[in-house]
Amino acid sequence: MATSALIQPSRVEARMITGYSVVNLTFAVIGEVLADVTIESSDPRLIIRADSSGKLRLSPNLLQSVSALAREPHQGIIRVRNSLGQVIAEAPYEVAAAKCLNQNTSLGYVPGSNQASLSYSVSSVPQSIFDLCLSAPVGLGLNLATGETSGGVGINISW
C-alpha cells in the first residue's frame, strides 16, 4: 500500500487548441513503494485514462506517466488514492481556453543612426490551416539625438 506519492509537475496546466473541443493533459506520478493506486479528478470534464480496473501500478521511485482528456476549459484537483481510498497526493490543474489573439511587441535600436523604435501588434489565431490571419501593427520611432518622433500603423494579411 502506497503511503505517499508525488504528482509532477506540482501544478498541471494545458491550453485548449484553437479549433479543437478537447485537449490532452499529461502529468507523472511517483511513489515510494510498489502499489496500485487510483487517480481521479474533482471535475468530470477531465477524464483520467487508466486500465479497465481504473488502477495505476506505481513502481518505487519510477515516474509513471498519466494521460487525461479535458473536454472544456476548467480548473480542478487531481487526487491519487491508495488501496484504502486515502488521498496520498493531490495537485491543482487548469485547462485554459484557446487563444483568440496573439500579441507581439518589439524594441529596437540602431546605433549608427541613433534611432530607437517600439512596435506592438495584435493578430488573430486561425481556426484552421486554411484561414487567413489578420494582424494590426503599431509602431513608434524616436531619434535619440534630435528627439524627433515618427510612427505608423498597418494591417497585414497572411495565408
Side-chain angles (χ1 to χ4, degrees), residues 66-157:
V66 179
S67 180
L69 187 69
R71 292 188 284 188
E72 61 187 58
H74 69 282
Q75 296 178 14
I77 303 289
I78 296 168
R79 290 187 181 91
V80 178
R81 293 185 184 271
N82 64 15
S83 59
L84 299 176
Q86 300 163 326
V87 175
I88 59 172
E90 62 181 20
Y93 72 90
E94 179 176 1
V95 179
K99 290 174 67 173
C100 59
L101 292 175
N102 285 322
Q103 300 179 72
N104 183 9
T105 187
S106 300
L107 180 61
Y109 175 67
V110 181
S113 65
N114 218 13
Q115 287 276 4
S117 63
L118 174 67
S119 67
Y120 171 80
S121 69
V122 62
S123 62
S124 62
V125 176
Q127 293 279 327
S128 83
I129 60 171
F130 303 110
D131 289 349
L132 294 176
C133 182
L134 301 174
S135 175
V138 176
L140 176 65
L142 173 65
N143 185 314
L144 298 174
T146 66
E148 184 179 322
T149 61
S150 60
V153 296
I155 297 223
N156 300 319
I157 300 172

Side-chain angles (χ1 to χ4, degrees), residues 22-38:
V22 295
V23 68
N24 197 41
L25 190 77
T26 57
F27 56 95
V29 179
I30 188 168
E32 305 171 323
V33 297
L34 181 65
D36 288 334
V37 297
T38 56

